[in-house]
């Protein structure tokens, strides 16, 4: 059975990931010069580039948060299984 603390931790990390992803995508779009003008002029290129940015941002976000999430979850599971003191 997964404890309430683990669920809360996963929810917290998920919210952090979402915020990080949004900010990272926004920064990358600005840095790479993806504009509304490009969207108007060449929609397919705009889609390709924004999809590429989103995939890269997801990978970066997952790499940054996975370790933190993994450690927090493992600590909670170990507490629940009484491997660590509460």
């Amino acid at each position: 059975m997964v404890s309430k603390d683990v669920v809360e931790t996963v929810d917290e990390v998920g919210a952090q990931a979402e915020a990080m992803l949004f900010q990272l995508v926004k920064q990358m779009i600005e840095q790479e010069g993806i504009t509304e003008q490009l969207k108007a002029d060449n929609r397919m290129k705009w889609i390709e580039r924004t999809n590429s940015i989103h995939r890269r941002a997801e990978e970066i976000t997952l790499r940054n948060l996975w370790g933190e999430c993994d450690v927090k979850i493992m600590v909670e599971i170990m507490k629940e299984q009484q491997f660590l003191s509460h």
Side-chain angles (χ1 to χ4, degrees), residues 23-35 53:
Q23 185 63 32
L24 189 55
V25 167
K26 183 178 174 182
Q27 289 173 350
M28 291 171 77
I29 284 173
E30 289 175 9
Q31 290 172 349
E32 295 184 27
I34 310 300
T35 63
I53 287 171

Side-chain angles (χ1 to χ4, degrees), residues 1-10 72-73 75-81 86:
M1 183 170 166
V2 178
S3 74
K4 183 179 176 182
D5 290 339
V6 172
V7 173
E8 289 174 358
T9 299
V10 170
K72 285 182 179 180
I73 290 172
V75 166
E76 291 303 318
I77 290 170
M78 291 174 79
K79 282 181 182 177
E80 184 175 299
Q81 298 300 316
H86 294 266

Side-chain angles (χ1 to χ4, degrees), residues 8-69:
E8 289 174 358
T9 299
V10 170
D11 288 344
E12 179 183 315
V13 171
Q16 290 174 0
E18 188 175 335
M20 182 184 288
L21 178 63
F22 177 80
Q23 185 63 32
L24 189 55
V25 167
K26 183 178 174 182
Q27 289 173 350
M28 291 171 77
I29 284 173
E30 289 175 9
Q31 290 172 349
E32 295 184 27
I34 310 300
T35 63
E36 289 298 315
Q37 187 62 48
L38 176 62
K39 184 178 180 180
D41 293 345
N42 190 339
R43 189 157 181 90
M44 286 306 295
K45 186 173 184 173
W46 180 85
I47 290 169
E48 289 172 6
R49 292 186 65 192
T50 55
N51 283 345
S52 173
I53 287 171
H54 199 272
R55 282 190 304 274
R56 288 181 282 140
E58 282 179 336
E59 184 175 333
I60 292 166
T61 300
L62 288 173
R63 284 184 182 173
N64 285 335
L65 291 177
W66 177 249
E68 178 182 337
C69 178

